[in-house]
Amino acid sequence: MAIYSILSFIVLFETPYELFSIGCQKELANDVAGAIEYYKMALALDSTASEIYYALANAHYKIQKIDKGIEYARMGLQVAPDNLDLHSILGVGYIGKGDLKSAIETYKRALNYHPDNLDLYQTISILYEGLGDLKMAKEILMEIAEDKRTSEVYNRLGTICGKMNDHQGAINYYHRAFALDTTNYTALVGIGTGFDILGIKDSSIYYYEKAIQYDTSLSISKRLVDLYMDTDQFQKLIDIARKILTANYYEIAVRRSLGFALYKMGLLNEALVEFTIAAGLNPQDTYSKFYAARIFLEQGRYEESKRVLSEALKVNPDFVELWVYLGFIAMDKRDFKLARYAFTEAAHRNADMVQIYYLLGIVAELEQEFTQAYFYYKKSLSLDPRSLLSLNALANLCDRIGRKDEALRIFEKIIEIDTTDAIALNYVGYTYAERAESLGYALKLIEKALEIEPNNGYFIDSRGWVFYQLERYEEALSDLKRANELVEDPVILEHLGDVYLKLNEVTKAKEIYRQVLKLQPKNRTVLEKLKRLEENRE
């Protein structure tokens, strides 16, 4: 009875094409098992039809009978060894089993029949990459004749080179892809990424900027935010960050970067708005609170700054800079006890002790505790003998408390470290001028300071005093008159009076000395000079 029914069915549908068509309809209706039966009947009538083998292989894959599908694909290739679809479906079967090596061999056999099929090269390359063999993944693509390579092929080569850490090679291939298609987003991003990894930020920015013209996703735009930050291109950062935030209000990291850029541009109120929004969106965002506190501090809004810092410290008491800025507020308010406490807390939390000892020294100096300040500056320098902040602080303290020789040695060390420190150059030069020692060297130092700050009245006075000691009185007079025009200072006036005296312009000298006494009525040196001049007149 069963045999009779099948024969009757075959007689009713005479052609394999009709049976195959019914199988296709059943497959479309998700009756895969029924489809397979009709495909088999069609194959019984025509064992040379490659599309039936393909359909049987594909249908068996759908019901997870991978090996059976592979068997039908192989049978089909025996009938039609050059059939690309059958090679492809066989490869899919091997991939489904995780047998990538067999899949590669299958697609390579297909290449023998279809050597110009770029999809085969791409597929084999991807499979080699799946095996972790990047070298072969690249080599198979290199087998494509140059005049046949497309933009997509060069993109693929660029991707492989990037994964092989050959970033310059990746850039070169992406450039070729871009040359073939100047709207190729993948190539633009690939070039930008290569330069980004190589640390060539300007070039990376250039190609990322071109890429975002062809793509509206935010990933590259957000990377540009970081690069603009790194390269101090704050206006560009502001512009792109605002576009990102228009698309997505809740991009907190971008909002923080926008706040920082506005802060660096001096737009403090706008920056404060962004940091406040960011902290509102994420109460755990101590970075935004920190910068909000900095802005409040710079605006002299001490209580608001202190409040925000206190809120942030409750969230993250190990955020060292919060303690440091709390100390700054305390110093500005002359609450030295709180300042010492804040800096000590920062020290307990692994702050930079070079900075902490320096800051404790500043606090001690503000309290007129000069011995303690000296101790802290020395402690800071014991950890970093080249700390310019601590060296300058110690040098100025030594000068202030009368340790002039030590101050001179420290300023000379500062010059060794930083040959552009104009204050140190002037100090050393003026000290030698005062001592009438090494005057040529002193003049050289002071003139270097004046190259940095040509209109600094104190530096001009120093040079004038060197000229005085060198008995070049006309040059001294010129400098000291100009210094006096720039700065009202009793020392400069006294120097000017001394030069007039050397030039035998006694009346002018006396006039200048009297101006000194208006500023310093108890200046004994000048009082004595005036007394001697009056006595000589008599």
Side-chain angles (χ1 to χ4, degrees):
M1 185 69 179
I3 294 172
Y4 172 76
S5 298
I6 292 170
L7 289 174
S8 298
F9 188 85
I10 293 173
V11 169
L12 182 62
F13 299 99
E14 294 180 350
T15 68
Y17 174 77
E18 290 173 319
L19 293 168
F20 179 74
S21 296
I22 294 172
C24 290
Q25 292 170 22
K26 283 188 171 292
E27 191 169 352
L28 286 171
N30 290 321
D31 181 7
V32 179
I36 288 172
E37 291 305 315
Y38 276 93
Y39 294 149
K40 285 180 179 179
M41 287 187 284
L43 188 63
L45 294 178
D46 185 359
S47 61
T48 65
S50 59
E51 62 269 24
I52 300 175
Y53 289 105
Y54 179 92
L56 278 165
N58 189 53
H60 279 93
Y61 292 162
K62 286 184 177 180
I63 59 174
Q64 303 303 310
K65 292 185 177 180
I66 306 297
D67 287 331
K68 196 65 178 176
I70 288 172
E71 182 182 333
Y72 276 110
R74 283 175 171 170
M75 289 168 60
L77 284 170
Q78 289 176 1
V79 173
D82 63 342
N83 187 284
L84 181 58
D85 289 337
L86 286 171
H87 282 290
S88 297
I89 201 69
L90 177 58
V92 168
Y94 285 128
I95 293 169
K97 290 184 66 175
D99 185 357
L100 302 188
K101 289 183 178 180
S102 293
I104 288 170
E105 292 306 313
T106 299
Y107 291 123
K108 281 186 173 181
R109 283 195 296 272
L111 268 181
N112 292 329
Y113 296 102
H114 305 278
D116 294 328
N117 189 296
L118 298 183
D119 287 339
L120 287 172
Y121 289 100
Q122 293 270 40
T123 300
I124 296 168
S125 176
I126 291 168
L127 289 170
Y128 273 125
E129 188 176 340
L131 289 172
D133 192 343
L134 295 174
K135 182 181 178 184
M136 285 303 301
K138 179 182 176 183
E139 285 184 6
I140 193 70
L141 294 177
M142 295 300 292
E143 291 178 13
I144 302 171
E146 279 203 39
D147 61 339
K148 302 289 185 182
R149 293 177 194 169
T150 64
S151 180
E152 289 72 22
V153 170
Y154 283 120
N155 278 344
R156 179 88 193 127
L157 283 165
T159 300
I160 294 168
C161 283
K163 291 182 178 181
M164 295 172 74
N165 291 319
D166 177 11
H167 301 296
Q168 188 57 59
I171 290 168
N172 293 339
Y173 283 123
Y174 284 127
H175 265 302
R176 293 189 185 185
F178 183 67
L180 293 172
D181 177 8
T182 55
T183 65
N184 189 322
Y185 172 77
T186 301
L188 288 168
V189 172
I191 297 168
T193 302
F195 282 125
D196 199 350
I197 294 170
L198 292 173
I200 307 172
K201 294 179 181 179
D202 289 345
S203 295
S204 179
I205 287 169
Y206 174 80
Y207 285 99
Y208 284 153
E209 285 176 341
K210 290 179 74 71
I212 61 174
Q213 297 175 30
Y214 303 102
D215 188 80
T216 56
S217 68
L218 298 182
S219 59
I220 299 301
S221 293
K222 288 193 284 187
R223 179 57 189 151
L224 276 170
V225 167
D226 295 335
L227 288 168
Y228 290 147
M229 178 83 80
D230 292 344
T231 54
D232 294 343
Q233 297 186 59
F234 298 120
Q235 187 56 59
K236 281 189 173 183
L237 192 160
I238 290 167
D239 294 340
I240 199 167
R242 283 178 169 158
K243 289 179 183 177
I244 294 170
L245 291 170
T246 298
N248 188 348
Y249 183 85
Y250 296 96
E251 287 284 352
I252 297 175
V254 173
R255 193 173 293 281
R256 281 200 304 263
S257 296
L258 173 58
F260 182 80
L262 291 165
Y263 171 80
K264 296 297 285 187
M265 294 284 286
L267 302 170
L268 299 188
N269 288 327
E270 292 181 48
L272 185 59
V273 168
E274 299 303 332
F275 287 127
T276 302
I277 293 172
L281 292 172
N282 178 14
Q284 304 300 308
D285 182 4
T286 51
Y287 177 94
S288 293
K289 292 180 185 291
F290 168 64
Y291 270 97
R294 283 183 66 163
I295 292 169
F296 282 136
L297 177 58
E298 290 179 29
Q299 293 178 333
R301 298 159 69 178
Y302 297 108
E303 292 306 316
E304 289 169 284
S305 182
K306 187 175 178 181
R307 172 182 58 78
V308 175
L309 286 172
S310 298
E311 290 174 2
L313 282 167
K314 288 178 183 177
V315 175
N316 184 7
D318 292 325
F319 191 157
V320 168
E321 291 301 313
L322 295 173
W323 290 108
V324 172
Y325 270 81
L326 183 61
F328 289 161
I329 293 170
M331 282 199 297
D332 280 358
K333 298 290 286 183
R334 303 193 71 80
D335 184 348
F336 301 125
K337 181 178 179 181
L338 176 59
R340 283 194 302 274
Y341 168 73
F343 295 141
T344 303
E345 285 295 321
H348 287 326
R349 288 169 170 80
N350 298 316
D352 177 3
M353 290 307 299
V354 174
Q355 180 193 34
I356 294 301
Y357 281 128
Y358 163 75
L359 291 171
L360 289 170
I362 295 290
V363 173
E365 197 167 348
L366 289 170
E367 291 183 288
Q368 306 285 307
E369 296 288 344
F370 299 130
T371 301
Q372 192 68 20
Y374 181 88
F375 166 78
Y376 281 128
Y377 294 145
K378 293 288 280 187
K379 284 287 288 183
S380 177
L381 290 166
S382 70
L383 298 175
D384 180 6
R386 297 174 66 84
S387 168
L388 289 171
L389 280 175
S390 299
L391 283 167
N392 272 292
L394 181 59
N396 284 300
L397 174 63
C398 287
D399 180 70
R400 183 179 180 184
I401 61 178
R403 302 177 72 154
K404 303 289 185 179
D405 288 341
E406 187 172 359
L408 176 62
R409 289 196 301 273
I410 297 167
F411 275 121
E412 286 180 324
K413 184 171 183 178
I414 291 169
I415 293 171
E416 290 175 11
I417 298 169
D418 180 6
T419 59
T420 65
D421 189 316
I423 292 174
L425 290 164
N426 179 69
Y427 185 95
V428 175
Y430 181 74
T431 300
Y432 281 123
E434 278 282 272
R435 298 177 178 183
E437 297 174 359
S438 305
L439 294 176
Y441 176 59
L443 183 60
K444 180 181 176 182
L445 293 178
I446 294 165
E447 289 194 328
K448 189 165 186 178
L450 281 167
E451 287 175 8
I452 299 164
E453 296 183 37
N455 296 313
N456 188 307
Y458 294 105
F459 297 176
I460 295 168
D461 167 69
S462 296
R463 185 172 65 182
W465 198 238
V466 173
F467 287 144
Y468 175 90
Q469 299 287 32
L470 290 168
E471 300 182 6
R472 293 159 60 176
Y473 299 123
E474 291 294 341
E475 292 169 277
L477 180 63
S478 176
D479 268 353
L480 293 168
K481 284 171 72 175
R482 182 160 176 250
N484 186 46
E485 290 170 0
L486 293 169
V487 183
E488 184 181 51
D489 183 272
V491 174
I492 295 173
L493 281 167
E494 185 179 352
H495 288 164
L496 182 57
D498 291 349
V499 173
Y500 278 129
L501 202 56
K502 287 291 185 180
L503 292 170
N504 293 317
E505 297 189 43
V506 177
T507 302
K508 287 185 177 180
K510 289 163 67 174
E511 180 186 333
I512 293 297
Y513 289 147
R514 290 190 184 103
Q515 289 181 37
V516 175
L517 293 174
K518 287 179 182 178
L519 298 173
Q520 291 181 334
K522 297 181 180 180
N523 187 317
R524 289 187 177 183
T525 304
V526 174
L527 284 168
E528 285 293 325
K529 288 177 181 178
L530 265 176
K531 182 180 178 182
R532 285 197 298 271
L533 289 174
E534 293 295 338
E535 289 173 351
N536 289 339
R537 187 185 67 177
E538 294 174 1

